Amino acid sequence: MSIFSSVSPDSLPNRVLPVLGVLALALVWFLDLGVIQPNRIVPGTGHGLLSAVGGIGAGLVTVILAGCVLMSLLPVRRRYLPLLVLVGLSLALMPLLLDVFASRHLPENAPYARSSIGAGFWCLLFLLSLMLIEILGRLGSGRGLQLLILAAICGSWLWMLQGDGLESLSLVREFNARPEKFEQALWTHLALAFGAVSISACLAFVLALKMIRSTAWRRPILGAVSFLQTIPSLAVFGLLIAPLSALAAAFPALQAMGIRGIGWAPALLALVAYSLLPMVRNTFVALTEVPETLADAGRGMGMNEKQLFFKLKLPLALPVIVEGVRITTIQAIGLTAVAALIGAGGFGSFIFQGLGQAAMDLVLLGALPTIALALLADALLTMLADSLKPIPATA
């Protein structure tokens, strides 16, 4: 189930929001909000909330979080709307804390010095995000409003991160040092992930139809795709290197197309193999679970088998099929990062470069966009699946 799924206002305890607010208030005071590093590798000096943003800034943060806690304790349902505004604005304006921190503590005559995000900031961001999700669930808001709020918060962050006040942030410096490589990694990551999902969707549809038409094929097909899912991803990448290298050496045309033992070819094949199980399973279950009484009604109306499939069974099965596509897409986006180990590119190249250089902000430069792509795909495909669900007829 998507993390953006609606939650009934009475299905969760009333103490969830106050607990999250108190926890955020405690962690932002006890953990470092930011770190000043002399360069990108040497560990820096951490600063707590009071030292990072001063007395006024620390007091403002405390008042806002305390206000969220007190407001969430009110016994009226109408408290959720002002809470939504307060938590949403807090999330949108959080980069201002980093701006104030850098202006207060960054040395002027140190060109390699940089500010970095501390554990307190990450905990505050995480807990405020949980509070936002909880509030939206209790309000029973629609998917469109959720995406609008998410877009507004992300837009505010992007606008502030492009300003001069945060150019000393280590994460921003890592991006500014390689903008072309970042753009190339983005398109490579998208091409590998969504290319694998598209190919596996077509293969899964054909395999599911074969399983429906011939029961003898069900056990072999499900066994094969289940077996592929159990092989560790790195092992699949490694196993494909030797045969693809041999094929590229035997057929120069393949090498001219870029197919070789390392690169995008083994990565794409491995991603397709990993994507088959949820696709095949969901497609088969969706098509076979259509009530036979509906099919009989369609036959009684004069529909042939082709019309029954395209006008009845497939429309009813689409929400479950899209749910399989959602699971596969999120899985493929994550596994594409691992494919960088065999030269496939994508955001995984930043992650492994950062690990090799002990530069954690370079790791974040690859990890954060990967997480963002997965969350975005989850939200959009969940919204698509909900829109495809049939609406019951009313009298």
PDB file of all heavy atoms in Angstrom, residues 155-181:
ATOM      1  N   GLY A 155       9.145  22.418  -4.580  1.00  0.00           N
ATOM      2  CA  GLY A 155       9.483  23.640  -5.299  1.00  0.00           C
ATOM      3  C   GLY A 155      10.152  24.668  -4.409  1.00  0.00           C
ATOM      4  O   GLY A 155      11.098  25.354  -4.825  1.00  0.00           O
ATOM      5  N   SER A 156       9.672  24.803  -3.165  1.00  0.00           N
ATOM      6  CA  SER A 156      10.297  25.734  -2.221  1.00  0.00           C
ATOM      7  C   SER A 156      11.733  25.331  -1.924  1.00  0.00           C
ATOM      8  O   SER A 156      12.634  26.185  -1.884  1.00  0.00           O
ATOM      9  CB  SER A 156       9.474  25.768  -0.927  1.00  0.00           C
ATOM     10  OG  SER A 156      10.109  26.542   0.063  1.00  0.00           O
ATOM     11  N   TRP A 157      11.959  24.033  -1.731  1.00  0.00           N
ATOM     12  CA  TRP A 157      13.317  23.552  -1.474  1.00  0.00           C
ATOM     13  C   TRP A 157      14.239  23.818  -2.659  1.00  0.00           C
ATOM     14  O   TRP A 157      15.365  24.300  -2.486  1.00  0.00           O
ATOM     15  CB  TRP A 157      13.272  22.061  -1.161  1.00  0.00           C
ATOM     16  CG  TRP A 157      12.997  21.761   0.276  1.00  0.00           C
ATOM     17  CD1 TRP A 157      11.842  22.009   0.961  1.00  0.00           C
ATOM     18  CD2 TRP A 157      13.897  21.147   1.208  1.00  0.00           C
ATOM     19  NE1 TRP A 157      11.956  21.584   2.255  1.00  0.00           N
ATOM     20  CE2 TRP A 157      13.204  21.052   2.443  1.00  0.00           C
ATOM     21  CE3 TRP A 157      15.185  20.673   1.126  1.00  0.00           C
ATOM     22  CZ2 TRP A 157      13.777  20.498   3.583  1.00  0.00           C
ATOM     23  CZ3 TRP A 157      15.770  20.112   2.254  1.00  0.00           C
ATOM     24  CH2 TRP A 157      15.076  20.038   3.457  1.00  0.00           C
ATOM     25  N   LEU A 158      13.777  23.526  -3.868  1.00  0.00           N
ATOM     26  CA  LEU A 158      14.613  23.740  -5.051  1.00  0.00           C
ATOM     27  C   LEU A 158      14.937  25.211  -5.233  1.00  0.00           C
ATOM     28  O   LEU A 158      16.073  25.577  -5.589  1.00  0.00           O
ATOM     29  CB  LEU A 158      13.901  23.194  -6.292  1.00  0.00           C
ATOM     30  CG  LEU A 158      13.776  21.673  -6.382  1.00  0.00           C
ATOM     31  CD1 LEU A 158      12.935  21.280  -7.593  1.00  0.00           C
ATOM     32  CD2 LEU A 158      15.156  21.021  -6.465  1.00  0.00           C
ATOM     33  N   TRP A 159      13.964  26.071  -4.980  1.00  0.00           N
ATOM     34  CA  TRP A 159      14.195  27.513  -5.136  1.00  0.00           C
ATOM     35  C   TRP A 159      15.214  28.016  -4.119  1.00  0.00           C
ATOM     36  O   TRP A 159      16.106  28.797  -4.453  1.00  0.00           O
ATOM     37  CB  TRP A 159      12.874  28.255  -4.972  1.00  0.00           C
ATOM     38  CG  TRP A 159      13.010  29.740  -5.113  1.00  0.00           C
ATOM     39  CD1 TRP A 159      13.271  30.450  -6.255  1.00  0.00           C
ATOM     40  CD2 TRP A 159      12.936  30.702  -4.058  1.00  0.00           C
ATOM     41  NE1 TRP A 159      13.354  31.797  -5.991  1.00  0.00           N
ATOM     42  CE2 TRP A 159      13.137  31.982  -4.648  1.00  0.00           C
ATOM     43  CE3 TRP A 159      12.697  30.617  -2.695  1.00  0.00           C
ATOM     44  CZ2 TRP A 159      13.127  33.144  -3.891  1.00  0.00           C
ATOM     45  CZ3 TRP A 159      12.673  31.772  -1.948  1.00  0.00           C
ATOM     46  CH2 TRP A 159      12.888  33.020  -2.540  1.00  0.00           C
ATOM     47  N   MET A 160      15.125  27.559  -2.878  1.00  0.00           N
ATOM     48  CA  MET A 160      16.060  28.002  -1.849  1.00  0.00           C
ATOM     49  C   MET A 160      17.454  27.417  -2.057  1.00  0.00           C
ATOM     50  O   MET A 160      18.468  28.080  -1.810  1.00  0.00           O
ATOM     51  CB  MET A 160      15.539  27.628  -0.460  1.00  0.00           C
ATOM     52  CG  MET A 160      14.294  28.377  -0.040  1.00  0.00           C
ATOM     53  SD  MET A 160      13.813  28.015   1.656  1.00  0.00           S
ATOM     54  CE  MET A 160      12.252  28.872   1.748  1.00  0.00           C
ATOM     55  N   LEU A 161      17.518  26.157  -2.503  1.00  0.00           N
ATOM     56  CA  LEU A 161      18.830  25.530  -2.714  1.00  0.00           C
ATOM     57  C   LEU A 161      19.586  26.170  -3.874  1.00  0.00           C
ATOM     58  O   LEU A 161      20.814  26.061  -3.948  1.00  0.00           O
ATOM     59  CB  LEU A 161      18.661  24.036  -2.964  1.00  0.00           C
ATOM     60  CG  LEU A 161      18.231  23.197  -1.758  1.00  0.00           C
ATOM     61  CD1 LEU A 161      17.967  21.758  -2.167  1.00  0.00           C
ATOM     62  CD2 LEU A 161      19.304  23.241  -0.664  1.00  0.00           C
ATOM     63  N   GLN A 162      18.887  26.832  -4.786  1.00  0.00           N
ATOM     64  CA  GLN A 162      19.554  27.520  -5.891  1.00  0.00           C
ATOM     65  C   GLN A 162      20.028  28.924  -5.513  1.00  0.00           C
ATOM     66  O   GLN A 162      20.710  29.566  -6.297  1.00  0.00           O
ATOM     67  CB  GLN A 162      18.604  27.614  -7.088  1.00  0.00           C
ATOM     68  CG  GLN A 162      18.327  26.271  -7.748  1.00  0.00           C
ATOM     69  CD  GLN A 162      17.301  26.361  -8.858  1.00  0.00           C
ATOM     70  OE1 GLN A 162      16.702  27.409  -9.085  1.00  0.00           O
ATOM     71  NE2 GLN A 162      17.082  25.249  -9.553  1.00  0.00           N
ATOM     72  N   GLY A 163      19.657  29.393  -4.338  1.00  0.00           N
ATOM     73  CA  GLY A 163      20.054  30.729  -3.910  1.00  0.00           C
ATOM     74  C   GLY A 163      21.504  30.777  -3.453  1.00  0.00           C
ATOM     75  O   GLY A 163      22.163  29.756  -3.238  1.00  0.00           O
ATOM     76  N   ASP A 164      21.987  31.996  -3.265  1.00  0.00           N
ATOM     77  CA  ASP A 164      23.380  32.189  -2.861  1.00  0.00           C
ATOM     78  C   ASP A 164      23.623  31.776  -1.410  1.00  0.00           C
ATOM     79  O   ASP A 164      24.750  31.440  -1.038  1.00  0.00           O
ATOM     80  CB  ASP A 164      23.779  33.662  -3.043  1.00  0.00           C
ATOM     81  CG  ASP A 164      23.757  34.088  -4.507  1.00  0.00           C
ATOM     82  OD1 ASP A 164      23.900  33.200  -5.368  1.00  0.00           O
ATOM     83  OD2 ASP A 164      23.574  35.288  -4.781  1.00  0.00           O
ATOM     84  N   GLY A 165      22.583  31.821  -0.578  1.00  0.00           N
ATOM     85  CA  GLY A 165      22.775  31.526   0.832  1.00  0.00           C
ATOM     86  C   GLY A 165      23.158  30.091   1.111  1.00  0.00           C
ATOM     87  O   GLY A 165      23.796  29.813   2.141  1.00  0.00           O
ATOM     88  N   LEU A 166      22.801  29.164   0.236  1.00  0.00           N
ATOM     89  CA  LEU A 166      23.075  27.746   0.467  1.00  0.00           C
ATOM     90  C   LEU A 166      24.116  27.187  -0.504  1.00  0.00           C
ATOM     91  O   LEU A 166      24.248  25.976  -0.629  1.00  0.00           O
ATOM     92  CB  LEU A 166      21.780  26.936   0.349  1.00  0.00           C
ATOM     93  CG  LEU A 166      20.744  27.182   1.454  1.00  0.00           C
ATOM     94  CD1 LEU A 166      19.469  26.406   1.170  1.00  0.00           C
ATOM     95  CD2 LEU A 166      21.306  26.794   2.814  1.00  0.00           C
ATOM     96  N   GLU A 167      24.855  28.067  -1.170  1.00  0.00           N
ATOM     97  CA  GLU A 167      25.867  27.565  -2.112  1.00  0.00           C
ATOM     98  C   GLU A 167      27.024  26.891  -1.389  1.00  0.00           C
ATOM     99  O   GLU A 167      27.766  26.111  -1.998  1.00  0.00           O
ATOM    100  CB  GLU A 167      26.386  28.710  -2.967  1.00  0.00           C
ATOM    101  CG  GLU A 167      27.084  29.806  -2.179  1.00  0.00           C
ATOM    102  CD  GLU A 167      27.574  30.937  -3.065  1.00  0.00           C
ATOM    103  OE1 GLU A 167      27.333  30.872  -4.288  1.00  0.00           O
ATOM    104  OE2 GLU A 167      28.204  31.864  -2.530  1.00  0.00           O
ATOM    105  N   SER A 168      27.195  27.171  -0.088  1.00  0.00           N
ATOM    106  CA  SER A 168      28.256  26.529   0.680  1.00  0.00           C
ATOM    107  C   SER A 168      27.845  25.168   1.219  1.00  0.00           C
ATOM    108  O   SER A 168      28.672  24.450   1.785  1.00  0.00           O
ATOM    109  CB  SER A 168      28.667  27.419   1.856  1.00  0.00           C
ATOM    110  OG  SER A 168      27.578  27.597   2.750  1.00  0.00           O
ATOM    111  N   LEU A 169      26.571  24.792   1.072  1.00  0.00           N
ATOM    112  CA  LEU A 169      26.121  23.491   1.543  1.00  0.00           C
ATOM    113  C   LEU A 169      26.839  22.391   0.764  1.00  0.00           C
ATOM    114  O   LEU A 169      26.928  22.434  -0.465  1.00  0.00           O
ATOM    115  CB  LEU A 169      24.611  23.373   1.370  1.00  0.00           C
ATOM    116  CG  LEU A 169      23.935  22.161   2.006  1.00  0.00           C
ATOM    117  CD1 LEU A 169      24.060  22.195   3.519  1.00  0.00           C
ATOM    118  CD2 LEU A 169      22.457  22.103   1.600  1.00  0.00           C
ATOM    119  N   SER A 170      27.340  21.419   1.481  1.00  0.00           N
ATOM    120  CA  SER A 170      28.158  20.379   0.855  1.00  0.00           C
ATOM    121  C   SER A 170      27.411  19.657  -0.255  1.00  0.00           C
ATOM    122  O   SER A 170      27.980  19.371  -1.309  1.00  0.00           O
ATOM    123  CB  SER A 170      28.620  19.391   1.920  1.00  0.00           C
ATOM    124  OG  SER A 170      29.465  18.415   1.359  1.00  0.00           O
ATOM    125  N   LEU A 171      26.141  19.369  -0.032  1.00  0.00           N
ATOM    126  CA  LEU A 171      25.340  18.675  -1.041  1.00  0.00           C
ATOM    127  C   LEU A 171      25.207  19.531  -2.298  1.00  0.00           C
ATOM    128  O   LEU A 171      25.279  19.022  -3.426  1.00  0.00           O
ATOM    129  CB  LEU A 171      23.970  18.344  -0.464  1.00  0.00           C
ATOM    130  CG  LEU A 171      23.056  17.442  -1.297  1.00  0.00           C
ATOM    131  CD1 LEU A 171      23.700  16.082  -1.521  1.00  0.00           C
ATOM    132  CD2 LEU A 171      21.710  17.289  -0.616  1.00  0.00           C
ATOM    133  N   VAL A 172      25.019  20.838  -2.134  1.00  0.00           N
ATOM    134  CA  VAL A 172      24.904  21.743  -3.277  1.00  0.00           C
ATOM    135  C   VAL A 172      26.236  21.840  -4.013  1.00  0.00           C
ATOM    136  O   VAL A 172      26.285  21.881  -5.250  1.00  0.00           O
ATOM    137  CB  VAL A 172      24.427  23.133  -2.805  1.00  0.00           C
ATOM    138  CG1 VAL A 172      24.404  24.118  -3.964  1.00  0.00           C
ATOM    139  CG2 VAL A 172      23.044  23.032  -2.171  1.00  0.00           C
ATOM    140  N   ARG A 173      27.324  21.875  -3.258  1.00  0.00           N
ATOM    141  CA  ARG A 173      28.646  21.940  -3.901  1.00  0.00           C
ATOM    142  C   ARG A 173      28.932  20.683  -4.712  1.00  0.00           C
ATOM    143  O   ARG A 173      29.530  20.752  -5.790  1.00  0.00           O
ATOM    144  CB  ARG A 173      29.731  22.151  -2.841  1.00  0.00           C
ATOM    145  CG  ARG A 173      29.771  23.557  -2.272  1.00  0.00           C
ATOM    146  CD  ARG A 173      31.089  23.828  -1.588  1.00  0.00           C
ATOM    147  NE  ARG A 173      31.219  25.224  -1.191  1.00  0.00           N
ATOM    148  CZ  ARG A 173      32.327  25.751  -0.699  1.00  0.00           C
ATOM    149  NH1 ARG A 173      33.411  24.995  -0.540  1.00  0.00           N
ATOM    150  NH2 ARG A 173      32.374  27.022  -0.356  1.00  0.00           N
ATOM    151  N   GLU A 174      28.536  19.535  -4.187  1.00  0.00           N
ATOM    152  CA  GLU A 174      28.747  18.296  -4.940  1.00  0.00           C
ATOM    153  C   GLU A 174      27.950  18.331  -6.245  1.00  0.00           C
ATOM    154  O   GLU A 174      28.429  17.868  -7.288  1.00  0.00           O
ATOM    155  CB  GLU A 174      28.316  17.093  -4.096  1.00  0.00           C
ATOM    156  CG  GLU A 174      29.150  16.859  -2.850  1.00  0.00           C
ATOM    157  CD  GLU A 174      30.570  16.424  -3.159  1.00  0.00           C
ATOM    158  OE1 GLU A 174      30.863  16.104  -4.321  1.00  0.00           O
ATOM    159  OE2 GLU A 174      31.402  16.404  -2.225  1.00  0.00           O
ATOM    160  N   PHE A 175      26.739  18.887  -6.197  1.00  0.00           N
ATOM    161  CA  PHE A 175      25.944  18.996  -7.419  1.00  0.00           C
ATOM    162  C   PHE A 175      26.550  20.009  -8.383  1.00  0.00           C
ATOM    163  O   PHE A 175      26.641  19.753  -9.599  1.00  0.00           O
ATOM    164  CB  PHE A 175      24.507  19.398  -7.077  1.00  0.00           C
ATOM    165  CG  PHE A 175      23.673  19.733  -8.286  1.00  0.00           C
ATOM    166  CD1 PHE A 175      23.135  18.728  -9.069  1.00  0.00           C
ATOM    167  CD2 PHE A 175      23.443  21.054  -8.651  1.00  0.00           C
ATOM    168  CE1 PHE A 175      22.373  19.031 -10.189  1.00  0.00           C
ATOM    169  CE2 PHE A 175      22.685  21.369  -9.765  1.00  0.00           C
ATOM    170  CZ  PHE A 175      22.148  20.360 -10.538  1.00  0.00           C
ATOM    171  N   ASN A 176      26.956  21.170  -7.885  1.00  0.00           N
ATOM    172  CA  ASN A 176      27.511  22.208  -8.752  1.00  0.00           C
ATOM    173  C   ASN A 176      28.821  21.782  -9.407  1.00  0.00           C
ATOM    174  O   ASN A 176      29.198  22.324 -10.453  1.00  0.00           O
ATOM    175  CB  ASN A 176      27.735  23.498  -7.955  1.00  0.00           C
ATOM    176  CG  ASN A 176      26.429  24.161  -7.559  1.00  0.00           C
ATOM    177  OD1 ASN A 176      25.410  23.981  -8.219  1.00  0.00           O
ATOM    178  ND2 ASN A 176      26.460  24.931  -6.486  1.00  0.00           N
ATOM    179  N   ALA A 177      29.507  20.822  -8.808  1.00  0.00           N
ATOM    180  CA  ALA A 177      30.767  20.347  -9.395  1.00  0.00           C
ATOM    181  C   ALA A 177      30.545  19.409 -10.574  1.00  0.00           C
ATOM    182  O   ALA A 177      31.464  19.177 -11.359  1.00  0.00           O
ATOM    183  CB  ALA A 177      31.603  19.634  -8.331  1.00  0.00           C
ATOM    184  N   ARG A 178      29.329  18.889 -10.718  1.00  0.00           N
ATOM    185  CA  ARG A 178      29.058  17.910 -11.776  1.00  0.00           C
ATOM    186  C   ARG A 178      27.609  17.997 -12.264  1.00  0.00           C
ATOM    187  O   ARG A 178      26.894  16.982 -12.272  1.00  0.00           O
ATOM    188  CB  ARG A 178      29.365  16.492 -11.270  1.00  0.00           C
ATOM    189  CG  ARG A 178      28.772  16.191  -9.903  1.00  0.00           C
ATOM    190  CD  ARG A 178      29.168  14.815  -9.404  1.00  0.00           C
ATOM    191  NE  ARG A 178      30.560  14.719  -9.083  1.00  0.00           N
ATOM    192  CZ  ARG A 178      31.120  15.166  -7.954  1.00  0.00           C
ATOM    193  NH1 ARG A 178      30.382  15.787  -7.059  1.00  0.00           N
ATOM    194  NH2 ARG A 178      32.402  15.015  -7.729  1.00  0.00           N
ATOM    195  N   PRO A 179      27.131  19.157 -12.708  1.00  0.00           N
ATOM    196  CA  PRO A 179      25.723  19.240 -13.160  1.00  0.00           C
ATOM    197  C   PRO A 179      25.447  18.418 -14.409  1.00  0.00           C
ATOM    198  O   PRO A 179      24.376  17.827 -14.552  1.00  0.00           O
ATOM    199  CB  PRO A 179      25.520  20.738 -13.407  1.00  0.00           C
ATOM    200  CG  PRO A 179      26.885  21.284 -13.619  1.00  0.00           C
ATOM    201  CD  PRO A 179      27.791  20.454 -12.778  1.00  0.00           C
ATOM    202  N   GLU A 180      26.425  18.379 -15.353  1.00  0.00           N
ATOM    203  CA  GLU A 180      26.207  17.599 -16.572  1.00  0.00           C
ATOM    204  C   GLU A 180      26.140  16.106 -16.259  1.00  0.00           C
ATOM    205  O   GLU A 180      25.303  15.372 -16.808  1.00  0.00           O
ATOM    206  CB  GLU A 180      27.315  17.869 -17.591  1.00  0.00           C
ATOM    207  CG  GLU A 180      27.342  19.292 -18.129  1.00  0.00           C
ATOM    208  CD  GLU A 180      28.088  20.243 -17.206  1.00  0.00           C
ATOM    209  OE1 GLU A 180      28.709  19.754 -16.223  1.00  0.00           O
ATOM    210  OE2 GLU A 180      28.054  21.468 -17.458  1.00  0.00           O
ATOM    211  N   LYS A 181      27.017  15.660 -15.359  1.00  0.00           N
ATOM    212  CA  LYS A 181      26.999  14.248 -14.982  1.00  0.00           C
ATOM    213  C   LYS A 181      25.700  13.894 -14.253  1.00  0.00           C
ATOM    214  O   LYS A 181      25.177  12.782 -14.422  1.00  0.00           O
ATOM    215  CB  LYS A 181      28.207  13.921 -14.100  1.00  0.00           C
ATOM    216  CG  LYS A 181      29.540  13.957 -14.832  1.00  0.00           C
ATOM    217  CD  LYS A 181      30.670  13.550 -13.910  1.00  0.00           C
ATOM    218  CE  LYS A 181      32.006  13.548 -14.656  1.00  0.00           C
ATOM    219  NZ  LYS A 181      33.125  13.152 -13.767  1.00  0.00           N
TER     220      LYS A 181
END
